[in-house]
Amino acid sequence: MGKTYNPHEIETTWQSYWEEHKTFKVAEDSNKEKFYLLEMFPYPSGRIHMGHVRNYTIGDVVARYKTMKGCNVLHPMGWDAFGMPAENAAIESKTHPAQWTYSNIDMMKQQLKRMGFSYDWDREFATCDVQYYKWEQWLFLQMYERGLAFRKKSYVNWCDSCRTVLANEQVEGGLCWRCKAEVSQKELQQWCFRITQYADELLKSLDTLSGWPERVVTMQRNWIGKSYGTEIAFTIEHTDEPITVFTTRPDTLYGATFMSLAPENPLALKLSEGTEQAAAVRAFVEKVLKQDKTVRCSDDLEKEGIFTGAYCINPVTGYRMPIYVANFVLMEYGTGAVMAVPAHDQRDFEFAQKYGLEIKVVIQPEDSDLNPATMTAAFEDEGRLVHSDQFNGQKNTDAMQAITAFLAEQGLGRKAVNFRLKDWGISRQRYWGAPIPIIYCEDCGTVPVPAEQLPVVLPEKISLEVLGRSPLADCAEFVNTTCPTCGKPAQRETDTMDTFVESSWYFARYACPDYDKGLLDGKRVRYWMPVDQYIGGIEHAVMHLLYARFFTKVLRDLGLVHVDEPFTNLLTQGMVCMETYQCENCGWLYPEEINQGNCTRCERPVQIGRTEKMSKSTKNVVDPEKLIATYGADTARLFCLFAAPPERDLEWSDKGVEGSYRFLQRVWRLVTEHTALLNDAAAVDWHGVDEADVKALRRKTHQTIQKVTDDIETRFHFNTAISAVMELVNQLYQFDVDKDTSPVRTAAFREAVQAVLLLLSPMVPHICEELWHQLGNTGTVFTAAWPVWESATARADEIEIVIQVNGKLRGKIMVAADAPEALIKEQALTCDSIQQWIAAKEIIKVILVPGKLVSIVVK
């Protein structure tokens, strides 16, 4: 290599070396501590974006660092390859989804390799590989046998744009999580996973996830949504059939004056059948089911409903309660039926006022008497019960348990626990997914495909342009089969599995991707699992991360894994953001479409908009390939690490990128301009060395090693770690290595330079590999030992202490690093710059914060 920093030549050389020598290939080694580092695997869209670059760079730093620390590091990569975008793209481009997907995989794999990530590519797989989804189908059969996979008819979230069902977790603000189209309700037969069977454990196990961000833990806790209350039965008039409700407010039961049903509740239509209300009820239900569920939950929603024509009986008052269908009641909460207490619930109050329903006060405040005729809002605070028979006079919060006990004695209700979490609907009416291994026989009913007949393979010849149902339904060679039980003609299930199923167990398969005798190789899985550090976006908090936890517990109960939780530590990285640019004539613009503040297409002025997440729709994107072509992969990596801590959003800056490139050039020159001197440096005995600048350089070197190690090990604050190395590089440039021919000077210089390369190597591996070899080292820096600081050398002779008077900075002093507390306080009090602030004043107290400041309080 020449003396000029040429990132492209350096990077391609070392990437070839790593690939040829299989530098990152790993196997089980009982003599080493294992460390499993995993980033959420990508969807093969065809091109990596800056979010990928940032996410995978963060992971790569940790993987390389842990390797240098002596760990046996598993760092795999693969592809979350099934899904609607591939199918939609195939329809658009008239290609097969498999061709589109594997072509994209090839392209993205080369892009990831160009970034220099330390993946063990021998473990690569795509979830659309037959040998992957074969074992997923086998797992489905195990779950089916145990009642964890089942089929039911229910209202589901339907995306008309994607033409498929969505799980509750995939609906965001009433919109499809992927295409952002409006979601409606549709009644279909659906295959589900009984995640609710694990709801309590999923909730309790959150307490063990000390390595997860509290925000994610809270989001999952709220999504699981455990609440304690009472189930109460209200008998439908003229029948023996009850409507069961779940309530957290049994104290208000005596004030229940009507019943509200969710439009999705089967009783909504059933109760009005054959009555003059039937047509109106059906029209109302159909209207509400088209509405956004999020809007239906909002406080400012206009309450609407319709009377079913039926009544139920309040079990404690005998009151004849009209049964309404209401737009604000959701099937997902409780039983899909709500006892309405308009005096003490604001939604019920607004509804009762609108439809002229009775309002009955059963809780009076301590300081006034409520009159239903003059109330302007529901009373939802604490008070004492009235009109509640034997419970009159009791504090309403105390009466909750007493009323529940009374209902249990009378056979009218019981204590109950409710979860917001609902079973996971996995049926998708699309082609590009794992087929559900079920057969339907007229004589035998629902029959699971025998394990020895797996995999059920997706047919290659298929017409994808089918609306409202799976394209597989029109593929006779796929659908038509024989019943494995009776041998008669039968039909296959044509729905495919939700793509979140594939990502719910892929992390375990990375331990043994070549295993062909079962889902998992127990020995290898026992060595590698759990994942020690998982990295990905916060947007997966209640989808992928919850499903992966559920699957891990299922796999554990099947004896396939030994862990309760899949991910010990979780890092949710921030987004990559950038300014947006608009032209009033051309709309959103890419950054390269702007020249000196004007649009290159029409030459009109460009308006700079808000800084937002990089997005193709707003065109505020940077192409990683162009960035790498200009500056190299190491610069891209360095900027992503230096611009912000990983958990924070990163704001894109062209100047920041250029600054990162200039820093790497400085490091390059530092080594290449002193190569001969560095290679001639000999080992020395540091005892007795008293040259001030040598001691200062060695102190800075060991302080930097300590700082960088701490920043990576405990906080992942790569930005401050890089800043510390930059300070060391600055000191190296100031150090006069040619001052004399003393071997101590060159040895100190080499020690510092070598530390710079080792500390930077996980972050910018290519340039460090090259410079490491220019220093005469053999092998790869990837396997070199991480440097260790010497505490005695890192300790400063003197430290700066800030002095505050009544909380305001008033001066600074230098003190010996090992000075006792009393001496430091005395020096602070006698400091000339402090005297004017404390003279003739009473000193209340003097507080020392060791190594930082002295705080003096006076009056």
Side-chain angles (χ1 to χ4, degrees):
M1 299 285 174
K3 285 205 168 186
T4 303
Y5 175 47
N6 184 334
H8 308 292
E9 183 181 357
I10 294 166
E11 289 169 5
T12 53
T13 296
W14 283 104
Q15 287 160 14
S16 298
Y17 175 92
W18 296 331
E19 188 162 0
E20 180 184 341
H21 290 81
K22 290 192 174 291
T23 302
F24 310 125
K25 184 176 176 60
V26 69
E28 299 74 35
D29 185 345
S30 59
N31 295 316
K32 281 187 173 183
E33 177 188 355
K34 73 91 179 178
F35 190 86
Y36 185 177
L37 185 287
L38 183 63
E39 306 99 358
M40 294 179 186
F41 63 170
Y43 182 81
S45 57
R47 303 181 74 83
I48 64 171
H49 52 67
M50 288 310 303
H52 289 130
V53 171
R54 188 187 191 198
N55 185 17
Y56 300 146
T57 299
I58 291 167
D60 197 51
V61 172
V62 180
R64 288 175 176 272
Y65 165 77
K66 286 293 184 179
T67 299
M68 295 175 74
K69 291 283 284 186
C71 292
N72 193 30
V73 176
L74 172 59
H75 188 203
M77 176 50 70
W79 311 95
D80 190 8
F82 273 138
M84 294 176 284
E87 193 166 333
N88 291 340
I91 293 171
E92 226 174 275
S93 60
K94 300 192 183 305
T95 59
H96 194 278
Q99 180 184 339
W100 185 87
T101 299
Y102 284 111
S103 173
N104 285 351
I105 287 173
D106 290 341
M107 187 184 305
M108 289 181 70
K109 184 175 179 178
Q110 292 309 309
Q111 292 175 318
L112 292 179
K113 285 186 173 183
R114 185 65 186 85
M115 287 299 302
F117 297 135
S118 58
Y119 297 130
D120 180 354
W121 283 107
D122 287 353
R123 294 176 183 264
E124 176 193 16
F125 58 75
T127 57
C128 62
D129 295 343
V130 174
Q131 284 306 306
Y132 183 83
Y133 71 75
K134 167 188 175 179
W135 295 113
E136 183 167 292
Q137 291 172 341
W138 178 87
L139 181 57
F140 177 96
L141 296 179
Q142 308 311 303
M143 295 174 74
Y144 179 76
E145 284 179 15
R146 290 159 177 78
L148 292 173
F150 65 99
R151 195 172 187 236
K152 69 173 182 178
K153 192 172 187 180
S154 62
Y155 282 96
V156 294
N157 304 305
W158 178 260
C159 175
D160 211 41
S161 172
C162 295
R163 295 176 287 183
T164 193
V165 170
L166 304 174
N168 289 337
E169 295 85 348
Q170 295 167 324
V171 180
E172 300 172 346
L175 304 178
C176 171
W177 73 289
R178 191 176 284 281
C179 74
K180 306 306 178 188
E182 195 170 296
V183 173
S184 61
Q185 295 292 295
K186 189 171 186 176
E187 192 173 31
L188 292 173
Q189 285 281 1
Q190 290 291 292
W191 280 97
C192 300
F193 284 150
R194 208 179 299 276
I195 191 174
T196 52
Q197 187 166 314
Y198 287 82
D200 221 19
E201 186 185 354
L202 286 167
L203 186 64
K204 289 176 181 175
S205 294
L206 288 172
D207 294 334
T208 69
L209 300 179
S210 58
W212 283 39
E214 187 56 39
R215 181 184 175 194
V216 175
V217 171
T218 299
M219 289 171 74
Q220 287 211 5
R221 199 182 304 281
N222 292 340
W223 190 262
I224 295 168
K226 185 176 185 178
S227 56
Y228 297 88
T230 307
E231 274 189 0
I232 307 173
F234 293 74
T235 303
I236 299 172
E237 189 179 46
H238 306 310
T239 74
D240 294 327
E241 186 178 349
I243 297 177
T244 301
V245 304
F246 172 84
T247 179
T248 57
R249 295 293 308 275
D251 55 315
T252 64
L253 174 59
Y254 285 84
T257 58
F258 63 95
M259 181 69 66
S260 299
L261 301 179
E264 299 91 340
N265 193 315
L267 287 172
L269 296 176
K270 182 180 177 182
L271 290 174
S272 64
E273 282 179 359
T275 72
E276 59 184 24
Q277 289 290 100
V281 170
R282 181 171 293 279
F284 178 79
V285 167
E286 290 175 355
K287 181 184 81 168
V288 176
L289 290 181
K290 293 177 182 177
Q291 295 175 354
D292 179 354
K293 281 188 183 179
T294 308
V295 173
R296 285 171 60 191
C297 291
S298 65
D299 291 335
D300 57 359
L301 171 75
E302 182 182 352
K303 311 303 182 288
E304 291 183 321
I306 191 165
F307 179 44
T308 62
Y311 293 82
C312 62
I313 307 302
N314 186 312
V316 293
T317 65
Y319 186 85
R320 190 168 176 252
M321 298 166 55
I323 303 172
Y324 277 75
V325 182
N327 65 341
F328 59 87
V329 181
L330 299 180
M331 197 68 197
E332 282 76 12
Y333 182 78
T335 63
V338 175
M339 67 173 202
V341 186
H344 306 292
D345 182 276
Q346 185 59 30
R347 295 182 311 169
D348 297 341
F349 180 84
E350 294 172 18
F351 193 91
Q353 284 204 317
K354 182 170 184 175
Y355 293 102
L357 300 168
E358 183 175 352
I359 299 174
K360 181 181 178 182
V361 173
V362 291
I363 302 174
Q364 288 284 10
E366 298 283 358
D367 55 356
S368 62
D369 285 329
L370 297 174
N371 182 347
T374 59
M375 289 176 70
T376 57
F379 176 71
E380 298 178 322
D381 295 331
E382 294 181 11
R384 297 198 176 272
L385 293 187
V386 296
H387 306 129
S388 300
D389 293 343
Q390 69 265 38
F391 305 105
N392 285 341
Q394 291 188 27
K395 198 171 180 181
N396 72 298
T397 50
D398 296 336
M400 288 182 180
Q401 287 191 4
I403 291 175
T404 300
F406 171 74
L407 292 170
E409 289 171 9
Q410 302 298 313
L412 302 171
R414 64 182 183 88
K415 276 186 180 180
V417 175
N418 184 67
F419 288 92
R420 180 180 179 224
L421 180 69
K422 299 302 175 186
D423 287 320
W424 172 14
I426 64 157
S427 288
R428 298 294 177 266
Q429 293 66 44
R430 300 304 296 256
Y431 163 73
W432 194 235
I436 295 173
I438 290 291
I439 291 171
Y440 301 108
C441 172
E442 285 190 10
D443 293 339
C444 305
T446 301
V447 182
V449 174
E452 60 271 17
Q453 293 183 18
L454 296 178
V456 178
V457 180
L458 282 172
E460 289 189 11
K461 294 180 180 178
I462 191 81
S463 173
L464 298 178
E465 299 192 32
V466 179
L467 293 174
R469 58 194 174 93
S470 171
L472 291 171
D474 288 346
C475 182
E477 65 182 49
F478 176 83
V479 174
N480 297 325
T481 185
T482 56
C483 173
T485 302
C486 69
K488 292 182 179 178
Q491 293 192 319
R492 293 192 186 279
E493 170 63 69
T494 58
D495 285 353
T496 53
M497 292 192 225
D498 181 5
T499 54
F500 277 100
V501 177
E502 282 83 64
S503 59
S504 294
W505 67 283
Y506 80 108
F507 44 86
R509 185 68 181 176
Y510 275 140
C512 50
D514 58 342
Y515 190 61
D516 61 1
K517 295 181 175 61
L519 184 91
L520 298 171
D521 180 347
K523 184 177 179 181
R524 285 191 277 174
V525 168
R526 181 169 289 276
Y527 178 84
W528 289 114
M529 286 291 290
V531 175
D532 295 283
Q533 181 65 61
Y534 199 37
I535 302 173
I538 189 76
E539 66 272 16
H540 297 293
V542 292
M543 289 190 286
H544 163 57
L545 288 170
L546 183 62
Y547 297 153
R549 295 182 61 226
F550 163 55
F551 258 54
T552 299
K553 295 178 190 304
V554 172
L555 292 171
R556 175 204 62 198
D557 291 348
L558 291 171
L560 297 170
V561 300
H562 63 289
V563 297
D564 296 325
E565 290 287 342
F567 315 120
T568 303
N569 296 291
L570 173 68
L571 172 66
T572 52
Q573 87 283 352
M575 298 181 294
V576 180
C577 303
M578 188 178 184
E579 287 179 335
T580 51
Y581 309 100
Q582 272 188 302
C583 166
E584 64 178 15
N585 185 49
C586 302
W588 298 109
L589 299 176
Y590 290 106
E592 57 268 27
E593 294 179 314
I594 303 165
N595 182 32
Q596 296 183 340
N598 294 322
C599 173
T600 57
R601 288 152 60 185
C602 68
E603 298 187 354
R604 294 188 182 185
V606 172
Q607 181 180 352
I608 300 176
R610 294 187 309 174
T611 297
E612 298 180 7
K613 176 186 176 182
M614 283 191 178
S615 168
K616 290 179 183 177
S617 60
T618 52
K619 298 186 177 180
N620 61 331
V621 294
V622 172
D623 184 351
E625 286 195 289
K626 291 182 180 178
L627 180 67
I628 294 168
T630 304
Y631 296 103
D634 279 341
T635 294
R637 292 171 62 118
L638 187 67
F639 172 74
C640 286
L641 296 167
F642 185 57
E647 71 278 6
R648 302 268 186 89
D649 287 350
L650 181 157
E651 188 170 336
W652 188 262
S653 163
D654 290 337
K655 288 183 179 179
V657 173
E658 291 164 6
S660 297
Y661 183 65
R662 286 196 301 272
F663 172 69
L664 293 181
Q665 288 178 311
R666 293 193 80 208
V667 173
W668 178 265
R669 290 195 303 272
L670 183 68
V671 178
T672 56
E673 291 175 3
H674 298 91
T675 304
L677 181 147
L678 288 164
N679 286 330
D680 289 341
V684 298
D685 182 357
W686 296 110
H687 294 293
V689 173
D690 58 2
E691 293 180 54
D693 58 346
V694 171
K695 289 177 69 176
L697 179 59
R698 293 203 69 231
R699 183 184 307 119
K700 187 67 173 178
T701 299
H702 286 264
Q703 287 175 344
T704 304
I705 295 170
Q706 182 178 10
K707 170 68 173 169
V708 173
T709 303
D710 189 49
D711 281 345
I712 296 177
E713 187 74 46
T714 63
R715 291 184 292 275
F716 291 167
H717 280 190
F718 309 115
N719 56 326
T720 54
I722 292 167
S723 180
V725 177
M726 287 177 170
E727 289 180 15
L728 178 57
V729 169
N730 288 339
Q731 192 152 334
L732 277 163
Y733 268 97
Q734 294 165 10
F735 183 75
D736 186 359
V737 69
D738 299 317
K739 182 178 180 181
D740 57 47
T741 58
S742 166
V744 168
R745 301 189 71 77
T746 54
F749 191 77
R750 181 184 171 98
E751 179 189 37
V753 168
Q754 190 148 295
V756 166
L757 299 182
L758 290 169
L759 296 176
L760 284 177
S761 65
M763 306 170 197
V764 286
H766 308 89
I767 187 174
C768 291
E769 286 277 23
E770 180 61 30
L771 296 177
W772 180 253
H773 277 256
Q774 288 196 27
L775 290 184
N777 296 297
T778 56
T780 168
V781 73
F782 178 70
T783 56
W786 186 257
V788 179
W789 73 90
E790 298 170 3
S791 297
T793 306
R795 193 178 302 120
D797 292 339
E798 284 191 323
I799 56 175
E800 183 180 70
I801 296 291
V802 169
I803 306 172
Q804 293 179 345
V805 179
N806 289 349
K808 293 186 178 180
L809 174 64
R810 297 303 188 190
K812 300 175 183 178
I813 56 173
M814 298 300 294
V815 301
D818 57 356
E821 180 176 346
L823 180 61
I824 296 173
K825 288 181 177 179
E826 181 184 342
Q827 286 185 240
L829 290 168
T830 58
C831 175
D832 290 341
S833 63
I834 298 302
Q835 284 298 307
Q836 61 176 311
W837 302 105
I838 65 174
K841 294 181 181 177
E842 181 184 353
I843 296 175
I844 304 301
K845 54 185 173 181
V846 181
I847 303 167
L848 172 68
V849 179
K852 294 185 178 180
L853 66 86
V854 172
S855 177
I856 304 170
V857 180
V858 299
K859 73 173 184 178

